[in-house]
Amino acid sequence: MDFHCHLDLYPNAREVYKEACRRNAFTWLVTTSPKAFEATSRILGSSSNVLITPGLHPEIAHERFGELDLLLKQIATVRAVGEVGLDGSSRFRATYEVQHKVFSAVVARCEELGGRTLSIHSRQAVTYVLAELSMHPRFGTAVLHWFSGTAAELKAADAQGCWFSVGPAMFNSKSGRALAARLPRDRVVPESDGPFAQLGGKPIMPWSMPETARYLAEAWSVPIDNAMHVLENNSLRLLDLMQLS
Ligand code: MN
């Protein structure tokens, strides 16, 4: 299973897609723009175990703002949305205004349509993401991907019922490992975030769940089998919430 993957952006996307279909019961392919969603849906096509969703990544929100209306239309046709979110890091602070317009419109739209599951980017913007979600209490289900906030922000996100998608790259840093130890264990699912996320100079692949389980087992001080079972069990519950099982 993989709940956050940019499968369309691997150099050999068709092969990775085939392999993901063979090895994974479920792969969530998040796109970064509405037009990329259209192109990827056309070229790769959804299958019963690869879900392709429309998004508008906060890092390119200012370049693709013109596609917001298209995104809002696409959301009516899907069960899940991503990648969307906010990025408050210094590199993207200048575009925060437009990022916020996009994210706010997306969350409101999800609520209007009766709820969607969102794969959310929240780098240095967790508080703002949570504030936006709480303004639209019926938006659906939030899956915070590669969470990198503070311990207090993690607590707040947990209290709001957020899920967390976690991949091997999170364990590259000491702070990532410390956060992993504190995740609510009943709301953690695996992700790769490949090909952006890398380990040892190589992109992480969509079938990296056993690696994630190994790292989590260490963070939680439990046997690997136990961590694997937790990830599997959580994944099935989230798919159920997404009405995909
Ligand atoms: Mn991503």
Side-chain angles (χ1 to χ4, degrees):
M1 307 254 202
D2 181 352
F3 283 81
H4 184 106
C5 180
H6 299 277
L7 200 154
D8 52 330
L9 302 179
Y10 287 90
N12 51 341
R14 280 177 204 272
E15 282 157 50
V16 178
Y17 183 95
K18 251 191 228 156
E19 195 64 9
C21 282
R22 199 173 67 78
R23 296 168 74 141
N24 279 9
F26 174 72
T27 304
W28 183 349
L29 191 168
V30 291
T31 62
T32 54
S33 75
K35 289 207 172 136
F37 171 68
E38 286 185 338
T40 300
S41 303
R42 197 171 53 237
I43 295 163
L44 293 177
S46 277
S47 65
S48 60
N49 53 359
V50 177
L51 173 71
I52 304 176
T53 61
L56 214 179
H57 199 291
E59 291 179 9
I60 59 165
H62 57 295
E63 291 163 11
R64 303 299 191 100
F65 185 70
E67 295 175 36
L68 176 59
D69 285 343
L70 177 57
L71 176 61
L72 298 179
K73 280 193 196 109
Q74 290 167 343
I75 293 175
T77 70
V78 293
R79 292 235 179 264
V81 179
E83 180 169 355
V84 291
L86 295 171
D87 192 307
S89 65
S90 55
R91 225 176 118 205
F92 298 102
R93 204 169 293 149
T95 67
Y96 184 80
E97 204 72 24
V98 61
Q99 291 179 40
H100 186 258
K101 265 186 202 156
V102 170
F103 187 58
S104 177
V106 165
V107 178
R109 179 74 170 144
C110 291
E111 180 170 63
E112 177 189 291
L113 291 166
R116 294 289 184 272
T117 300
L118 291 88
S119 184
I120 301 176
H121 174 111
S122 60
R123 187 198 288 142
Q124 293 191 42
V126 175
T127 307
Y128 303 109
V129 164
L130 295 180
E132 205 50 52
L133 298 178
S134 53
M135 282 174 67
H136 302 280
R138 292 171 189 276
F139 76 89
T141 304
V143 186
L144 301 185
H145 115 82
W146 195 343
F147 186 87
S148 59
T150 64
E153 286 169 340
L154 175 57
K155 225 174 160 183
D158 178 16
Q160 273 185 233
C162 294
W163 288 66
F164 299 85
S165 58
V166 166
M170 184 173 178
F171 299 84
N172 273 335
S173 72
K174 203 179 156 193
S175 55
R177 290 191 294 272
L179 282 169
R182 293 162 176 256
L183 292 168
R185 295 188 195 181
D186 59 341
R187 270 180 273 125
V188 181
V189 291
E191 73 167 29
S192 65
D193 200 21
F196 294 134
Q198 307 208 334
L199 258 194
K202 283 190 184 150
I204 296 171
M205 304 309 285
W207 43 89
S208 61
M209 176 170 156
E211 271 168 276
T212 303
R214 212 173 56 228
Y215 286 116
L216 278 175
E218 208 178 310
W220 294 345
S221 307
V222 300
I224 294 172
D225 281 2
N226 180 297
M228 194 71 179
H229 180 77
V230 166
L231 287 179
E232 276 166 2
N233 192 35
N234 290 347
S235 296
L236 295 176
R237 279 173 38 243
L238 183 54
L239 287 177
D240 204 41
L241 272 177
M242 294 167 81
Q243 297 175 290
L244 289 172
S245 54

